[in-house]
Amino acid sequence: ISPSLLVAKTSERKYQSELLKQINEDGYFHATPIPDAGLGQRFGVQKVYDFFLSRRGLPNAVELKQVGGKKWGWSISSLKEHQEYWLLDAHSKGVRAWVFVHHIAPLSDRNQKKYGITQYNALWAIPIKKVMEARDVDGLRSLAPPELDDYGTKIAVDGTKILYKDFFKAMGDYKWD
């Protein structure tokens, strides 16, 4: 694991690069980043999601989000309208669509006492339909680690150490319509 991934100021793009490198090196998935349009969002096509994973013919579309700084929960509103649209569109066509939430943040004094740790550095995989359920049915605006556990599955700890067994279980356990 790159030591730069263990500090709270790691950029989402750098984390994605390290994560995809680790996934490809581990050999369980083929991971392909979706390149930026290049012309900017004003004049170019907006990127549909961040990367694509495939394993044994099973396609997975992934949008990566990051919680950093002193934030405790991931704001669902950070999932942009076009990202939500394309993930739901992929899901409707049989592609497993995920939001991966990387939580790397130092905790407040209150939360350090409550949870017994000083910093979170974990990755959750949440099916897009579960994100929509959290927002539209359950009325949540953000997901903190306890809710991330409820709606998704923790699939990495300490940066990019992937818990493949847990991810494969999540892929099999979720009812994909």
Side-chain angles (χ1 to χ4, degrees):
I1 298 170
S2 169
S4 65
L5 295 176
L6 301 177
V7 297
K9 295 190 177 186
T10 301
S11 75
E12 185 176 311
R13 184 172 289 209
K14 183 172 182 170
Y15 179 76
Q16 177 181 316
S17 175
E18 291 281 333
L19 180 65
L20 293 178
K21 178 181 173 191
Q22 186 64 51
I23 288 171
N24 281 321
E25 285 177 3
D26 291 345
Y28 293 106
F29 286 92
H30 172 70
T32 307
I34 307 293
D36 290 327
L39 296 174
Q41 291 187 9
R42 183 172 178 189
F43 300 108
V45 175
Q46 292 176 321
K47 184 162 74 168
V48 293
Y49 33 81
D50 288 324
F51 57 95
F52 197 78
L53 296 174
S54 60
R55 175 175 162 76
R56 296 184 181 163
L58 296 175
N60 295 269
V62 179
E63 176 62 32
L64 177 65
K65 296 297 181 183
Q66 187 167 14
V67 177
K70 293 189 176 189
K71 294 181 183 176
W72 179 235
W74 168 64
S75 174
I76 296 172
S77 67
S78 73
L79 184 65
K80 296 180 180 130
E81 190 175 313
H82 74 278
Q83 295 166 333
E84 178 183 325
Y85 171 84
W86 287 111
L87 287 170
L88 289 170
D89 183 67
H91 172 82
S92 73
K93 293 174 175 65
V95 174
R96 293 177 175 187
W98 304 88
V99 176
F100 281 14
V101 177
H102 179 221
H103 196 297
I104 181 164
L107 303 181
S108 68
D109 290 340
R110 181 177 149 253
N111 282 327
Q112 286 181 31
K113 289 176 186 170
K114 184 176 180 180
Y115 296 102
I117 56 174
T118 59
Q119 174 177 295
Y120 249 87
N121 189 7
L123 179 70
W124 282 264
I126 310 166
I128 186 62
K129 293 294 242 176
K130 296 296 270 182
V131 172
M132 300 297 95
E133 176 186 323
R135 184 189 70 194
D136 300 337
V137 176
D138 298 336
L140 298 176
R141 295 191 306 190
S142 66
L143 300 175
E147 290 86 23
L148 291 167
D149 285 334
D150 291 341
Y151 290 93
T153 301
K154 189 183 294 184
I155 61 165
V157 293
D158 294 332
T160 59
K161 182 181 175 189
I162 307 296
L163 306 170
Y164 287 104
K165 183 177 178 183
D166 293 338
F167 187 39
F168 296 151
K169 185 176 185 309
M171 291 172 68
D173 283 354
Y174 181 69
K175 305 257 186 277
W176 291 93
D177 295 349

